[in-house]
Amino acid sequence: MSRKPFLAGNWKMFKTGEQAAEFIGQFKSVAASLGDRDIALAVPATALETAAKAAQGSPLIIGAQNLFWEKEGAFTGEISAPMIKGAGATMVIIGHSERRQFFGDTDEKVAKKLAAALADGLLPVVCVGENLSERENGKTLDVLSTQLTGSLAGLSAEAAASIVVAYEPVWAIGTGKSASEGEAQEVHVFLRRRLKETFGAEAADRIRIIYGGSVKPENAALILAQSEIDGLLVGGASLKVDSFTKIVQSPYAG
Ligand code: PEP
């Protein structure tokens, strides 16, 4: 089944609103010229509204990097799905490994955030990935299976079909050491199989599974050439218009 590729940047804790507007001003014509793929940027919460305004009139998708599952309340420092939507954004990353590692995001919390994102019509990008010792001890697939089951708990097949899953090996994030295209493909095949077992073939075939971890202009095309890799989640290399442009323009095998 052919899935529309999904290429997203994750700016992490970089860029002010002004810097976001400047980037998007230069980049949005690139996004507009690539109608065969979805292109997105997950920006800091403080830049959401400015970024969404700057992207207006182009197909560039603007998203947040996290959310809290309650709609509002006494939750100092958090932002909710309606707030993200109200800022003009339409996507949200959930369960990024940096959230899991530094801010206590467990699979259970990820599942609650996912339900909240879907309830407000945001496109969720749910991240899973093993760390180095798990990989070295041969536990990669077990860990991913547990994360996937826990993070997508309670999801209907219909809702599942609309989400994006990002495979991001923790040892490859921000390290300059990407998974090889073969390693990534092997995991994506496994994730698709697990998704089929959980949600059925029809829904699972529609879920886009993207790869993230030290993607650069030099390795993007090779990774995208893998049949089960439906796109990319790009951290460091999405911060410069030049490198992100090269990445999103990479040929896609389909
Ligand atoms: C990320 O932040 O999701 C990521 C993959 O980072 P990097 O591309 O810098 O490894």
Side-chain angles (χ1 to χ4, degrees):
M1 147 151 213
S2 84
R3 292 171 285 269
K4 192 174 189 188
F6 189 84
L7 302 154
N10 170 23
W11 280 353
K12 310 183 192 246
M13 200 172 73
F14 291 98
K15 293 196 193 292
T16 62
E18 196 182 337
Q19 291 165 333
E22 193 187 333
F23 183 109
I24 293 166
Q26 292 170 35
F27 180 74
K28 68 178 181 181
S29 61
V30 175
S33 69
L34 296 164
D36 66 333
R37 51 196 72 193
D38 287 331
I39 300 176
L41 280 172
V43 308
T46 46
L48 274 176
E49 195 157 352
T50 313
K53 282 206 179 99
Q56 259 170 15
S58 91
L60 179 63
I61 296 166
I62 300 297
Q65 301 172 8
N66 179 42
L67 83 169
F68 188 58
W69 53 81
E70 296 290 349
K71 286 188 189 295
E72 60 180 13
F75 303 105
T76 303
E78 295 296 322
I79 60 167
S80 68
M83 290 171 177
I84 293 168
K85 243 178 103 175
T90 55
M91 176 196 89
V92 61
I93 296 178
I94 302 174
H96 189 280
S97 68
E98 287 151 18
R99 300 284 330 161
R100 291 177 185 263
Q101 191 179 348
F102 302 123
F103 302 101
D105 278 16
T106 58
D107 292 335
E108 200 184 347
K109 289 180 183 175
V110 169
K112 288 167 94 164
K113 292 180 179 198
L114 174 57
L118 287 166
D120 269 281
L122 294 173
L123 169 63
V125 178
V126 180
C127 303
V128 294
E130 82 286 3
N131 65 30
L132 188 58
S133 76
E134 289 161 347
R135 176 156 281 263
E136 286 177 345
N137 289 311
K139 294 193 181 134
T140 297
L141 300 185
D142 285 346
V143 167
L144 291 172
S145 185
T146 304
Q147 281 184 12
L148 199 66
T149 306
S151 300
L152 307 189
L155 208 58
S156 69
E158 196 193 339
S162 71
I163 74 169
V164 174
V165 172
Y167 167 54
E168 295 211 301
V170 180
W171 49 271
I173 297 181
T175 60
K177 188 185 181 314
S178 164
S180 71
E181 63 281 8
E183 282 169 333
Q185 167 81 354
E186 184 192 4
V187 169
H188 283 227
V189 168
F190 171 76
L191 292 174
R192 177 94 47 213
R193 202 173 66 231
R194 289 288 298 119
L195 290 168
K196 279 186 181 159
E197 284 161 9
T198 312
F199 299 110
E202 202 187 315
D205 274 341
R206 286 168 51 201
I207 300 174
R208 289 176 289 185
I209 309 179
I210 66 175
Y211 169 81
S214 294
V215 173
K216 304 177 263 296
E218 297 75 34
N219 61 11
L222 201 56
I223 297 170
L224 279 177
Q226 303 303 305
S227 59
E228 279 299 331
I229 299 184
D230 305 319
L232 302 168
L233 183 53
V234 185
S238 71
L239 291 168
K240 294 226 159 70
V241 173
D242 194 36
S243 57
F244 195 49
T245 297
K246 286 188 183 128
I247 290 171
V248 300
Q249 287 176 334
S250 300
Y252 174 70

